[in-house]
Amino acid sequence: MTRSTLLILAPLTAVMTFGLLSAVGPESNAVATAAASQASGVSCVDDLGRTVTLESPAERVAVMSPFAVDVLLDLGIEPVLVPSMVSDQPESWDGLDVVSMSHSTGPNLEQVVASRPDLIIAPRMLARFIPVLESTLGIPVVCVDVQHIDHLGERIELIGKLVGQEAGGTDLAAKTEREVARAIADTRSSAPVVFAIFGLREANYAFLPDSYLGSLIEACGGQLLTERAEVHPIFEGFTPLSLEVAIEGDPSVVLVIGHGDSAAIVRSMSADPAWSSLSAVKAGRVVSLPEDPFVLRPGVEPLKAISLLREAMYPDQN
């Protein structure tokens, strides 16, 4: 399939119209009318609740969301920019221009401008940078994220719509939803209590039920014990790590996902005497999971994510 070129950043929404068609000379009226009839407007409500209207599908998309990158490539669309990854860039992204970005300063604006996008797709994690992107660059931004397994199909469809690939997006969404439905159809009746840790270089956090991983755990028959924990003000779906919460809930399974080295997180936790009192630690059920399918690229490989969770949550049934 031939790739066209796009730019997408994950969670933001802007209301902008662009790409007005005009006829040149009276003899071109018929051609202009035909062209206008083929150009369909695109309107959507993004994950920040903002309405974004495009006069025609985007042709050059800058993408800050790894999930959106993979969806576009599946649809035969090549983004003009993709986000830098902590780990190695996926092989399927080889040859694509990479924009440097950080949690504290956002994406490199000079690189974004140089790529000449007509649309940016960004994740919710970059939401605070969206007003700056839109006001400084004058480019519409759509926030697209996957925070729940049930959101997967509609987010794929939205991305397809934004780039004029509605049919392809609908087909890919339906295929993905069928595969997920089959994968979780035999959910076990037992409900293991799970504590899921996400480690960054500067701090550790715990996943909340209202996160992509949380929705997968629920779909697989488990229960996160952070139900009443406070939501982090910047990182949605996470709460600051508290061993007190883990001790109170006494999980039967502890999942560790590191933004780098998962083993280092476990070593750090082990330094606290309270850690060894957890039932999961006593039973040897502390499981390290890869970051990609649960955090960096959620939804891209849902079957792999579900399989890994099942092995961690039900070790005696695999």
Side-chain angles (χ1 to χ4, degrees), residues 71 131 147 214 290 304:
V71 171
Q147 292 186 292
K304 175 183 177 181

Side-chain angles (χ1 to χ4, degrees), residues 158-215:
L158 171 58
I159 293 171
K161 180 180 179 181
L162 289 170
V163 299
Q165 297 287 334
E166 288 193 62
T170 298
D171 291 345
L172 179 59
K175 174 177 177 285
T176 303
E177 289 178 334
R178 286 194 301 270
E179 291 177 344
V180 169
R182 284 197 298 269
I184 64 177
D186 62 339
T187 293
R188 277 67 170 178
S189 58
S190 61
V193 177
V194 180
F195 188 57
I197 300 171
F198 180 54
L200 296 172
R201 292 186 182 89
E202 64 275 12
N204 294 324
Y205 303 87
F207 286 87
L208 293 170
D210 188 19
S211 64
Y212 181 68
L213 176 60
S215 73

Side-chain angles (χ1 to χ4, degrees), residues 55 65 85 136 175 182 191 195 198 242 255:
E55 195 163 286
S65 160
M85 304 285 281
T136 302
K175 174 177 177 285
R182 284 197 298 269
F195 188 57
F198 180 54
S242 168
L255 305 178

